[in-house]
Amino acid sequence: TSVFEPDSYFFQEGQQISYSELFSWLERESDSSEEGLNPPIDIDKNTSTEESIEKERKNPKYLSHTLEQDYLTRSADNVVQLAGISIGIAMKSNYRFQPEVGGPFYYENISKKEMLSEAKPIAEEVVKRIRAKDGLQDIPIMVAIYREAARDGLVPGNFVAKTTIQGGSQEIGDWESIDEKYVLFPSNSAQDIDPNLSSTVEEFKSEVANYFPNYVGVIGQGFYQDGEIRSLVLEIPIEFYGQAEVIGFTQYVYGLVMDSFQPHYDIEVNIKSNDRQESLIVRKAGDEEPYVHVYQR
């Protein structure tokens, strides 16, 4: 939205890169797959398992996904036309591989520095391929690099860098770092990053426990940009025994949200039972009161 202002552009799912192209980009570069953007690897039937493991560790498949989004504008004669493209490049933070079919899986962690060093040349090649398509030589392209969470991570990954290539150019200049992250509540990292909000969530949990002593717990996910909390999503799993109980508990949590959390960030509370959504409480940043919805059983 910082590059393609929603008030000025129409959004459209990616139309310029085909599915077959995107999937071919995820392959390793080889004689049979020149389109592959992951590094080549020299493994054949004569390569031992130990050698295969070592080669896989030294040459992970870094690129995981590529996502295209298009942005359109309306011309004077009321015709929409392509005016911008954004490309998300998702990179692994942990590489899982299986040297032998049916054998064990192995894992290789990928540092942020190593990931970025691999992602930037991939981005340059993607931009070059887009520019080679008919009609796309003068379309602005925004590219963002996304670092996936660890395989066992409880919160999503995050964007780490972005850049914009103006129409008529295929050269990527400077990259702008993106300072954003998701934080699990409660956790030691939440306590380190935001002790005040961490304490607030703990107090919120205690108040919920006073109402429902046998509840499972409160799980939260905070989203931070430039060191500031932007949104907090809380999930409360509880077993209910009727609609009246759901309504009463939702009203109670509504009051806790009003009393506990500051209004300068978005907050969302999902109340669930048996993997079913029972009610929802949402307050947007700056609003005085939350929006509440209780789902019908």
Side-chain angles (χ1 to χ4, degrees), residues 236-247:
I236 309 175
I238 293 182
E239 181 64 34
F240 295 101
Y241 297 98
Q243 187 78 352
E245 198 172 52
V246 171
I247 294 172

Side-chain angles (χ1 to χ4, degrees), residues 17 22 25-29 35-40 60-67 87-92 114-130 143-146 163 165 170 172 175:
I17 307 170
L22 287 175
W25 292 0
L26 303 183
E27 299 296 328
R28 291 188 181 276
E29 181 186 357
E35 295 294 310
L37 293 175
N38 276 303
K61 280 188 172 182
Y62 296 97
L63 177 62
S64 179
H65 299 288
T66 305
L67 177 66
I87 299 291
I89 295 177
M91 303 290 287
K92 293 183 174 73
E114 180 183 359
M115 179 216 70
L116 278 172
S117 69
E118 295 292 331
K120 290 177 180 179
I122 288 175
E124 291 172 354
E125 180 60 27
V126 168
V127 170
K128 187 182 300 183
R129 293 180 183 185
I130 292 174
V143 182
I145 298 172
Y146 182 86
T163 189
I165 302 92
Q170 67 178 26
I172 293 180
W175 287 86

Side-chain angles (χ1 to χ4, degrees), residues 183-191 194-210 215 217-224 229 231-236 252-253 256-257 259-262 265-269:
V183 178
L184 179 70
F185 287 87
S187 68
N188 291 334
S189 60
Q191 181 63 42
D194 197 336
N196 290 333
L197 183 55
S198 188
S199 297
T200 299
V201 173
E202 289 291 348
E203 292 171 6
F204 178 82
K205 284 179 57 180
S206 297
E207 294 295 336
V208 171
N210 289 336
Y215 88 114
V218 175
I219 302 171
Q221 178 179 290
F223 176 63
Y224 287 78
I229 180 71
S231 66
L232 176 66
V233 178
L234 300 173
E235 182 174 312
I236 309 175
Y252 177 71
V253 174
L256 291 181
V257 170
D259 295 339
S260 303
F261 298 100
Q262 297 182 14
Y265 53 87
D266 296 344
I267 183 166
E268 175 183 317
V269 181

